[in-house]
């Protein structure tokens, strides 16, 4: 590896700030960034100090730093790997011992298996398969548990939560109750620059569709259903919505890989309508547009689920049975 982890982190943050993916006023916290990139706080602290010296971020009357040279109204939301994935290879932190690289593969296998039924996951066999410590595998499984994909059964065994028709319907019902409320609140706090950025990404992808990667669709889904929703100002509701993530993960791991992309626009028109209402500060209309979008998308996703359950080919890893 030609660059140190600290230098790679600096490049990832700098590119994300300059591109607008990390918006002006966004609060950057050491712990959040350290968790995303699987490193200690020390290199994160040094990197933030370097960005501060270059006036890409600034101090404010609060914990952490704000994106931008001068302090503005703070934007508080949890950063995720999705905030950096749009920048491609240049924004990745390459380290062979990162638990997240393994977590991505395990997430893929577990999510697809959940569509086929209930499996037991053996933590010891998972550790052996990837030649990592139990600490690493336990961290991966706690992450999967937090998003409703697995549940603990006994000391070394976990159970995959089946994603059947009933559960999918229940997850959508929860989303319809919670997401529109958060979108209405986010409409009042989300910077117009960020909304315009999301609209531009949607329009550019729509113009190229279907010649796009499945990862690009996942990125656009995250823009609305994760990043925008996270700005609704209610952390308790946002944490509840994490349990509905199997819906998004299903499409993430199916479309463009195990299943062909839809012939028609999968969601661009609906998302653009929601963001347009937000740009005009019409929170109630944005909320209603999101409710209509969720109601319409459930049938499409149920169809994908049934198709994969009946016809999808799945190579079950040896840590599942």
């Amino acid at each position: 590896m030609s660059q140190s982890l600290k230098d790679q982190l600096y490049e990832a943050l700098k590119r994300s700030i300059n591109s607008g993916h990390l918006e002006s006023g966004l609060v950057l916290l050491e712990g959040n960034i350290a968790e995303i990139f699987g490193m200690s706080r020390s290199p994160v602290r040094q990197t933030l100090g370097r960005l501060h010296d270059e006036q890409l971020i600034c101090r404010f009357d609060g914990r952490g730093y704000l994106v931008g040279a001068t302090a503005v109204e703070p934007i508080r939301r949890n950063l995720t790997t999705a905030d950096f994935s749009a920048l491609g290879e240049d924004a990745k932190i390459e380290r062979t011992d990162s638990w997240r690289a393994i977590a991505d593969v395990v997430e893929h296998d577990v999510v697809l298996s959940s569509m086929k039924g209930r499996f037991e996951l053996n933590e010891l066999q998972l550790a052996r398969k990837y030649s990592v410590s139990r600490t690493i595998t336990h961290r991966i499984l706690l992450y999967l548990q937090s998003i409703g994909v697995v549940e603990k059964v006994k000391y070394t065994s976990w159970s995959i939560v089946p994603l059947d028709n009933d559960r999918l319907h229940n997850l959508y019902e929860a989303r319809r109750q919670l997401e529109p409320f958060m979108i209405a609140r986010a409409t009042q706090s989300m910077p117009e620059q960020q909304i315009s950025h999301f609209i531009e990404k949607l329009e550019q992808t729509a113009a190229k569709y279907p010649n796009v990667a499945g990862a690009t669709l996942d990125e656009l889904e995250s823009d609305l259903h994760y990043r925008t929703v996270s700005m609704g100002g209610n952390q308790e509701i946002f944490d509840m919505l994490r349990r509905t993530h199997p819906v998004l993960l299903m499409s993430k791991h199916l479309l463009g890989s195990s299943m062909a992309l839809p012939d028609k626009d999968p969601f661009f028109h609906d998302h653009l309508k929601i963001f347009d209402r937000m740009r005009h500060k019409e929170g109630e209309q944005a909320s209603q547009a999101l409710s209509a979008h969720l109601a319409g998308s459930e049938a499409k996703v149920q169809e994908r689920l049934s198709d994969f359950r009946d016809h999808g080919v799945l190579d079950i890893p040896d840590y599942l049975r």
Side-chain angles (χ1 to χ4, degrees), residues 10-81:
Y10 166 77
E11 291 295 333
L13 289 171
K14 182 177 180 180
R15 288 174 182 271
S16 295
I17 291 169
N18 288 336
S19 69
H21 286 86
L22 299 183
E23 63 270 25
S24 178
L26 180 64
V27 177
L28 302 180
L29 298 174
E30 281 182 20
N32 186 192
I33 295 172
E35 182 181 3
I36 289 172
F37 291 105
M39 58 177 61
S40 67
R41 291 194 178 205
S42 179
V44 176
R45 186 178 306 117
Q46 295 174 49
T47 299
L48 292 174
R50 181 178 175 184
L51 293 170
H52 178 260
D53 291 341
E54 296 178 5
Q55 297 187 323
L56 289 172
I57 60 177
C58 65
R59 289 287 192 181
F60 73 112
D61 187 19
R63 193 162 58 93
Y65 292 85
L66 293 184
V67 172
T70 57
V72 295
E73 186 68 22
I75 299 171
R76 302 181 187 277
R77 64 177 176 84
N78 288 328
L79 274 66
T80 70
T81 52

Side-chain angles (χ1 to χ4, degrees), residues 271-286:
H271 284 208
L272 285 169
K273 183 177 181 179
I274 295 164
F275 282 127
D276 184 62
R277 296 302 91 203
M278 294 184 70
R279 182 165 56 181
H280 289 87
K281 298 298 180 183
E282 297 173 347
E284 183 59 31
Q285 289 87 338

